[in-house]
Amino acid sequence: MESSKVIHAFYNDDEIVLDAVKSVKADGHHIEEVFCPFPVHGLDKAMGLAPTKLAITAFFYGITGLSVAIWMTNYMMIQDWPQDIGGKPSFSWAENMPAFVPIMFELTVFFAAHLMVITFYMRSRIWPFKKAENPDPRTTDDHFLMEIPVHNNVEELTALLEKTGAVEINVVDKH
Amino acid sequence: MYQFSGKLKTFSLALIALGLIGIVISFASAPSTIDEAKEIIAHQSSHGDSHGSSHDVKEEAHSEASVDNHSVEKAHSADHKNDAYAEESAHGSNHDDAHAEHVLHQLQNKPWSALYVSLFFFLGISLLVLAFYAAQRVAQSGWSIVLFRVMEAITANLVPTSIIMVVVVIAAAMHMNHLFPWMAEGVFDPTSPNYDPIVDGKSWWMNVPGWTIRSIVYLAIWNAYRWFIRRNSIKEDTANDGYKTFKLNYNVSVGFIFLFMLTESMMSWDWIMGLDPHWFSTLFGWYVLASLLVSALTVIAFVTIYLRSKGALPAVNDSHIHDLAKFMFGFSVFWTYLWFAQFMLIWYADIPEETTYFVARFNEYKLPFLGMVVMNFIFPILLLLNSDFKSMPWFVIIGGIVILSGHYVDIFVMVMPATVGAQWSFGIPEFSALLFFLGIFIFTVFSAFAKASPIPKGNPYLEESEHFHYYNIEHRGEGSDHH
């Protein structure tokens, strides 16, 4: 297989890169990736990325945590060994429910928060000792990089990117 | 400029008239003698309805004086204002007469309590809109400027509700009602059969002159700030004085927030906690605050959505509605937190002098007491959790109706068990009081909104507010012009 080529266009301002993304999209080119040193408001919308579903997963993780807390308190305090501890009514779960609310709340938050973070790591493919996928170290400091795949249209793309205010344009091989 | 439509004006006046008729009927039909009360009791037990039977259960618990029903018994005696009655019933003499007298007082309290619940609800909402407005000024918030005139218009309702509150306060001080049991004759007199040493120990705070003066001072402070800030906010529009007026309004609002937090706590002790003079709770002021604050934000959202649908608020977009709904959601959770914190601490320790408060509510008011948790917490949290739903006026209205009803029930459950006990119901007195104050609300709020420009032109944050956009609404097509 021949190695595919991509164009790396560098910008040094978030407003300029946002406008560049809009004009590249308007010209009908696919943008593979944009590397930024910080979040740029509206970039996902300009690139046409779908909204995240992370909040929805968190909701279900929270319900899971709540269920675990209800099951745990009911099993331990009511079913397994219903002792009289300081006169608390342990005849049924509902009667003693107010005492279980703090742990129900905390486990809901715990499950929702931690499982959502782990989901985020897995979906974003982030873990310790992972090799950084950074095409240019300057994009972590003060440069923005737009990566566009090339299909025998290097001249046309270069002309377009130059018009959008790119400070540097490189054609590189991508494996 | 907004025009207060004749249709809406007629509607509000009709509500006031209808409510007034209902209030007059409820006062006229309250029993005035023991015999009338006895008739009502006989009528109740012959029907065997829930009120009659729950009363019977209570009597039984009382006479048994059993160990396991200790708290129920405590509730029973605490819930009876008339100590003479407790004495008599303990001796077993004249029991029926004393019972009838007790019920008579509760029935006589009904029209007053019905009026008081609605009055406090509407007064509190207007007050908390004022406090939220002051907080927005102090926080120098950028999003809410286009809603300032809506909030100012809602606070106009503070004036008539305060006047009615002064009337009710004076009526209570003149013994025209039995809402506050500690105001009864002989409670502070050791030689009287009504003597109550526990309440007497609190007489340094709970005395009629002090209470009346404090009540009027609270109302005066709130109304003074409202009058000042409304006048000066309109002045801002044309001031052109290098934001001098704006800064003055900022400083006065800081002062008001401070005074408000003090007076709001004391108001909730005087006007609500004073209904149960044997009971006390330290976080009660915040709890009342949370209940009124979430209602106030819902009312701001309602009036905003209505006015926007009439085209009177061109600068308000879905993101402003989204922010209001976020506040409604957040403060619903905050209310639940305080409600539960108060309930759970008392339930857990189960000290009889504190527990009576919830025993009375749990035995006689089970449906409203538990129902309001569903209405004020579970429903809003599920409906308003989704970010898209929060920017749809239709969803905000549905959630808001449930939240407002839930907090009316909340005030109802704060007041009624102490004043009418088992004799509660939701009928003509309660409903007509609601209509009456709703009519006053609509009339004052919309005529106040029509009196000033709907856009506070002189505010330095106006530009920011007009371009306010919450990011995920952009995904749904409401464009933002600039980032």
Side-chain angles (χ1 to χ4, degrees):
Chain A
M1 241 181 96
E2 61 169 333
S3 64
S4 60
K5 281 182 192 281
V6 291
I7 275 196
H8 281 172
F10 290 80
Y11 298 87
N12 53 13
D13 188 274
D14 53 337
E15 289 288 330
I16 296 171
V17 79
L18 203 56
D19 291 337
V21 164
K22 282 175 188 161
S23 49
V24 170
K25 287 293 278 190
D27 221 43
H29 297 286
H30 171 70
I31 299 172
E32 187 66 34
E33 196 70 79
V34 177
F35 295 86
C36 304
F38 55 79
V40 176
H41 269 285
L43 187 61
D44 54 339
K45 192 195 165 202
M47 288 176 72
L49 300 182
T52 173
K53 297 187 187 75
L54 212 50
I56 297 166
T57 66
F59 178 73
F60 288 106
Y61 295 148
I63 288 180
T64 310
L66 183 64
S67 311
V68 167
I70 292 172
W71 170 79
M72 188 176 74
T73 49
N74 181 55
Y75 176 72
M76 288 177 179
M77 306 303 290
I78 309 295
Q79 305 299 332
D80 190 36
W81 198 350
Q83 287 187 95
D84 182 340
I85 303 168
K88 285 277 159 299
S90 52
F91 308 110
S92 73
W93 184 81
E95 268 180 296
N96 211 359
M97 196 274 273
F100 303 144
V101 166
I103 192 69
M104 284 155 67
F105 171 78
E106 294 295 349
L107 279 183
T108 306
V109 174
F110 179 87
F111 272 63
H114 288 85
L115 292 180
M116 176 173 73
V117 167
I118 292 168
T119 307
F120 168 73
Y121 285 159
M122 287 165 66
R123 292 289 295 151
S124 317
R125 304 177 170 280
I126 304 174
W127 56 84
F129 311 115
K130 179 198 160 90
K131 200 178 173 312
E133 298 170 4
N134 200 330
D136 192 299
R138 284 175 294 166
T139 60
T140 63
D141 181 17
D142 61 348
H143 277 68
F144 301 82
L145 190 158
M146 193 195 299
E147 186 177 288
I148 303 167
V150 177
H151 307 286
N152 301 321
N153 53 354
V154 177
E155 287 79 22
E156 186 203 333
L157 267 176
T158 313
L160 173 67
L161 291 170
E162 263 167 5
K163 251 198 290 177
T164 59
V167 293
E168 186 179 325
I169 298 169
N170 303 328
V171 182
V172 291
D173 284 333
K174 204 179 182 188
H175 312 288
Chain B
M1 282 295 258
Y2 169 75
Q3 190 83 39
F4 187 18
S5 73
K7 232 192 223 166
L8 196 62
K9 195 176 275 177
T10 319
F11 176 65
S12 65
L13 291 173
L15 284 181
I16 295 173
L18 206 66
L20 209 55
I21 292 168
I23 290 169
V24 170
I25 289 174
S26 59
F27 272 98
S29 58
S32 51
T33 64
I34 290 188
D35 291 331
E36 281 176 57
K38 274 184 181 164
E39 218 168 277
I40 293 170
I41 297 166
H43 188 69
Q44 279 175 349
S45 41
S46 72
H47 277 274
D49 69 5
S50 61
H51 301 326
S53 54
S54 69
H55 228 276
D56 290 344
V57 171
K58 232 168 75 169
E59 291 302 324
E60 227 167 80
H62 188 251
S63 55
E64 270 174 22
S66 53
V67 183
D68 57 331
N69 268 340
H70 188 66
S71 51
V72 177
E73 195 219 351
K74 280 287 290 186
H76 188 218
S77 51
D79 153 55
H80 287 60
K81 323 287 167 272
N82 199 332
D83 271 10
Y85 162 66
E87 288 266 301
E88 275 177 289
S89 66
H91 290 289
S93 66
N94 249 343
H95 189 276
D96 280 352
D97 267 4
H99 177 62
E101 197 192 327
H102 173 60
V103 172
L104 171 69
H105 284 159
Q106 293 186 327
L107 291 171
Q108 283 176 336
N109 266 342
K110 267 200 84 168
W112 281 104
S113 310
L115 186 79
Y116 193 68
V117 170
S118 289
L119 170 62
F120 185 78
F121 187 54
F122 277 90
L123 171 65
I125 286 175
S126 313
L127 172 65
L128 263 294
V129 171
L130 186 67
F132 183 74
Y133 170 79
Q136 295 298 302
R137 277 194 177 274
V138 170
Q140 302 185 17
S141 70
W143 69 280
S144 55
I145 312 302
V146 293
L147 303 175
F148 269 17
R149 286 290 139 82
V150 177
M151 296 186 216
E152 283 167 20
I154 296 171
T155 62
N157 190 44
L158 192 64
V159 179
T161 46
S162 296
I163 292 168
I164 298 169
M165 193 67 186
V166 169
V167 172
V168 171
V169 162
I170 290 170
M174 289 170 67
H175 302 288
M176 286 164 72
N177 57 49
H178 302 102
L179 285 179
F180 294 90
W182 57 268
M183 288 181 188
E185 202 118 334
V187 169
F188 302 125
D189 176 9
T191 60
S192 162
N194 271 346
Y195 181 63
D196 188 332
I198 294 173
V199 176
D200 193 23
K202 301 179 182 182
S203 60
W204 61 274
W205 178 268
M206 282 199 288
N207 54 75
V208 174
W211 181 84
T212 313
I213 292 166
R214 279 197 306 274
S215 299
I216 290 169
V217 168
Y218 309 148
L219 293 166
I221 290 172
W222 304 336
N223 278 286
Y225 172 72
R226 191 210 88 82
W227 173 81
F228 174 86
I229 202 73
R230 168 71 171 176
R231 194 197 59 170
N232 265 36
S233 172
I234 291 169
K235 237 186 224 171
E236 254 177 40
D237 286 0
T238 51
N240 221 348
D241 54 359
Y243 297 124
K244 249 190 177 153
T245 316
F246 176 76
K247 282 173 191 160
L248 175 67
N249 290 348
Y250 171 89
N251 290 335
V252 173
S253 300
V254 172
F256 173 71
I257 296 264
F258 174 75
L259 285 177
F260 165 77
M261 287 314 294
L262 287 180
T263 51
E264 193 277 338
S265 291
M266 297 202 287
M267 165 275 272
S268 63
W269 307 335
D270 275 339
W271 293 348
I272 303 289
M273 211 154 74
L275 296 164
D276 287 285
H278 285 259
W279 183 78
F280 50 86
S281 164
T282 33
L283 62 67
F284 197 75
W286 300 338
Y287 166 56
V288 173
L289 174 91
S291 190
L292 296 175
L293 181 52
V294 64
S295 311
L297 285 156
T298 309
V299 167
I300 296 173
F302 274 21
V303 177
T304 306
I305 290 170
Y306 172 79
L307 287 172
R308 191 172 76 140
S309 75
K310 295 283 164 201
L313 289 169
V316 173
N317 57 43
D318 282 349
S319 299
H320 294 108
I321 306 291
H322 186 277
D323 260 30
L324 284 172
K326 249 191 293 196
F327 270 116
M328 283 161 63
F329 173 83
F331 282 114
S332 286
V333 178
F334 180 65
W335 172 86
T336 316
Y337 166 61
L338 291 178
W339 175 82
F340 184 72
Q342 177 170 278
F343 171 76
M344 198 262 250
L345 287 181
I346 289 173
W347 171 86
Y348 211 109
D350 207 20
I351 300 169
E353 70 172 331
E354 292 174 354
T355 301
T356 52
Y357 183 82
F358 285 111
V359 170
R361 275 150 186 82
F362 209 78
N363 288 346
E364 309 281 5
Y365 292 75
K366 194 164 267 163
L367 180 67
F369 183 75
L370 296 175
M372 77 179 176
V373 183
V374 177
M375 293 164 88
N376 293 343
F377 177 60
I378 297 173
F379 188 83
I381 204 176
L382 292 177
L383 190 80
L384 295 177
L385 192 60
N386 188 313
S387 195
D388 289 341
F389 290 178
K390 282 199 276 274
S391 54
M392 295 178 194
W394 177 235
F395 273 96
V396 178
I397 296 273
I398 295 177
I401 287 172
V402 176
I403 289 174
L404 279 182
S405 323
H407 285 283
Y408 173 82
V409 174
D410 189 16
I411 309 289
F412 189 88
V413 173
M414 282 182 208
V415 172
M416 288 294 181
T419 55
V420 303
Q423 301 301 321
W424 74 278
S425 60
F426 189 84
I428 291 173
E430 290 78 11
F431 193 63
S432 46
L434 258 185
L435 291 187
F436 177 68
F437 285 106
L438 181 66
I440 292 180
F441 177 87
I442 294 173
F443 187 85
T444 51
V445 169
F446 291 101
S447 46
F449 189 75
K451 278 185 192 129
S453 152
I455 294 168
K457 293 185 208 78
N459 196 300
Y461 298 106
L462 179 64
E463 179 82 13
E464 182 181 343
S465 181
E466 282 175 337
H467 295 101
F468 172 66
H469 275 280
Y470 183 64
Y471 79 95
N472 80 340
I473 289 177
E474 289 173 13
H475 284 291
R476 293 193 24 244
E478 187 179 271
S480 69
D481 20 33
H482 192 73
H483 295 276

